[in-house]
Amino acid sequence: MKKNINSCKLVPGIPAQTEGGFHDTESEKVYENIVEAKYAYQLLKMRLLDINHWQDYCAMSFAEFRLYNTKGSFKESVLSRHDLVRINVYASPELGTIYYWVKISDIFFEEYEEFERTVIIFIPTSHPRNQQSEIAHFYSSTSSSAFVINRRGNILSAAVYGRNETPNLDTNFLGKIKNRIISFCAVVGLSKVQWRNFTDGILNTNGISMSGD
């Protein structure tokens, strides 16, 4: 299924769409006033930067995310540019555990009175302890995923933007077949359902006081 590049949302700071598939997954929540929205934004910002607990915040059932440094050692501290993230995609028992790796290619913040934004951009990368350069992901190294939260006035939004999603063919024959199948499923919208769970979940502040106390 080929998508029209012109239908891709243009988001400042997000890689341009030039080839392959893409998706724009967004969720929004409106607060009664700017004070509550500002407080909620700070909470969401901490959640977005706390990759090791994404599954807890968003009740994701399809994957587990873990932060590592460039040498492949687990990190509990705050993430930084060039850190790696291991994605454990839950598969059937027959397939066993499937790990994919991405690298934080960029992370930036914008903070103004009426607008605030936090952006993390990931790109596929190789296993940190593998001397070979083969990408350990079903997408090629030209693809990217941007995770964004922003506040505009009293409106908060969370988004995941996938760009240039092409299958990783720099692998063995069976790997090429598997990556083509997985990337095709993502392009036709199966991954978008999962990312919608993420954006809805990370915005969920029900039961949390917005007073800042």
Side-chain angles (χ1 to χ4, degrees):
M1 178 181 295
K2 186 175 182 180
K3 294 184 179 181
N4 184 352
I5 291 179
N6 294 327
S7 66
C8 174
K9 184 171 184 176
L10 299 178
V11 182
I14 303 305
Q17 173 67 22
T18 59
E19 62 177 337
F22 67 87
H23 72 87
D24 300 322
T25 306
E26 301 173 314
S27 298
E28 185 177 277
K29 187 171 184 177
V30 180
Y31 287 82
E32 291 186 0
N33 54 65
I34 291 181
V35 174
E36 288 189 358
K38 283 185 174 181
Y39 181 79
Y41 171 79
Q42 292 302 321
L43 173 63
L44 266 58
K45 178 180 178 180
M46 288 189 294
R47 287 181 174 182
L48 189 66
L49 298 177
D50 189 12
I51 289 177
N52 290 324
H53 292 94
W54 276 4
Q55 186 180 19
D56 301 330
Y57 300 134
C58 306
M60 293 185 296
S61 60
F62 71 100
E64 176 185 69
F65 295 77
R66 289 291 180 264
L67 184 67
Y68 289 78
N69 62 24
T70 55
K71 295 182 179 179
S73 297
F74 177 72
K75 286 185 66 174
E76 294 184 1
S77 57
V78 177
L79 58 82
S80 58
R81 190 177 182 185
H82 302 312
D83 277 348
L84 307 179
V85 175
R86 190 190 72 181
I87 307 171
N88 175 9
V89 177
Y90 298 139
S92 64
E94 292 78 13
L95 293 176
T97 302
I98 301 177
Y99 292 121
Y100 297 108
W101 289 87
V102 293
K103 177 173 66 175
I104 298 174
S105 65
D106 202 1
I107 176 171
F108 59 90
F109 311 90
E110 295 179 87
E111 297 186 357
Y112 306 98
E113 180 61 27
E114 288 296 320
F115 177 75
E116 299 176 276
R117 184 167 72 141
T118 300
V119 179
I120 307 174
I121 300 176
F122 299 98
I123 59 173
T125 190
S126 57
H127 191 292
R129 296 180 180 176
N130 191 338
Q131 298 300 318
Q132 299 179 349
S133 59
E134 181 178 305
I135 298 297
H137 200 280
F138 55 86
Y139 281 145
S140 70
S141 59
T142 60
S143 67
S144 67
S145 295
F147 290 71
V148 183
I149 58 164
N150 68 64
R151 179 189 64 83
R152 191 174 296 277
N154 67 326
I155 302 174
L156 263 65
S157 62
V160 181
Y161 300 109
R163 295 294 182 264
N164 304 304
E165 296 172 334
T166 57
N168 172 24
L169 303 181
D170 186 19
T171 183
N172 58 42
F173 178 73
L174 292 179
K176 290 179 181 179
I177 295 176
K178 180 190 72 174
N179 290 342
R180 280 187 182 277
I181 294 173
I182 296 175
S183 61
F184 173 78
C185 291
V187 168
V188 298
L190 296 183
S191 66
K192 187 176 176 68
V193 174
Q194 305 291 3
W195 292 131
R196 173 68 69 181
N197 291 338
F198 175 87
T199 56
D200 286 349
I202 204 167
L203 277 178
N204 184 9
T205 55
N206 293 338
I208 300 176
S209 172
M210 293 292 109
S211 66
D213 297 335

